[in-house]
Amino acid sequence: LEVALSDPLKVVAGARYNNNKDYGSTVVPRASAVYQAAEKLYIKALYGSAYRNPTFFEKYVNTKNVLYGDPDLDPEKIDTIELGVDMTMDSIKHNAVITLFQVTTDDLIARSESYGPGDTPPSQLEEQRVPDTSPTAVKPGYGNTDGQVVQGVELDVKGDLVAQKL
């Protein structure tokens, strides 16, 4: 859906509906607003949400004393927010974009610490788990963690510098 709220402001919104037999239904929204502040100056705000289901390997790997999957893994959830400024300068043939962003991940699927050389996982000495059960030891294997927050700044400059292109 694209809506021009006023001449210099446009909003784009969308959503994806997912229906997964293992994880149920979810709606993944996205939205953006672009404001034309001047003829060649745009200000952008973007939001996106996504998720990643665990892979078959992350859920069911079963290599004794090496790596175990977790059939009870939850999907990762990801939210992204971006604020950007896009400016074009024809007189010197440049385009500059600066973007501030934040990516937040919840229920991150991660691999736990592996055993060091010579370490023997005590609860797994004789264990070979059945694929639909969880191992008795938490490592080495896959699991959901709290997630992470990543923030940053991107700068993109394109154009001509004297007679050479950037």
Side-chain angles (χ1 to χ4, degrees), residues 6-81:
S6 65
D7 187 29
L9 180 62
K10 291 186 178 157
V11 175
V12 177
R16 187 176 83 190
Y17 172 76
N18 297 291
N19 187 8
N20 183 291
K21 70 180 183 75
D22 293 330
Y23 299 103
S25 299
T26 187
V27 175
V28 182
R30 289 180 174 61
S32 66
V34 178
Y35 178 75
Q36 187 174 2
E39 183 180 347
K40 297 179 182 182
L41 177 65
Y42 296 89
I43 300 169
K44 304 176 196 179
L46 299 99
Y47 168 78
S49 180
Y51 75 99
R52 181 181 80 82
N53 288 329
T55 65
F56 182 84
F57 184 84
E58 291 165 337
K59 290 178 70 167
Y60 299 113
V61 63
N62 185 11
T63 307
K64 185 176 179 181
N65 296 335
V66 177
L67 186 62
Y68 290 87
D70 182 354
D72 297 323
L73 286 173
D74 292 325
E76 291 181 352
K77 296 170 189 80
I78 304 158
D79 288 308
T80 303
I81 298 172

Side-chain angles (χ1 to χ4, degrees), residues 100-146:
L100 305 171
F101 66 88
Q102 177 173 304
V103 179
T104 305
T105 307
D106 292 313
D107 291 327
L108 184 67
I109 298 170
R111 186 172 165 175
S112 65
E113 180 182 344
S114 296
Y115 293 102
D119 291 346
T120 304
S123 64
Q124 295 175 7
L125 285 171
E126 302 300 325
E127 177 184 8
Q128 184 73 11
R129 81 172 170 84
V130 179
D132 64 348
T133 63
S134 296
T136 56
V138 296
K139 66 178 193 176
Y142 289 97
N144 288 107
T145 65
D146 293 337

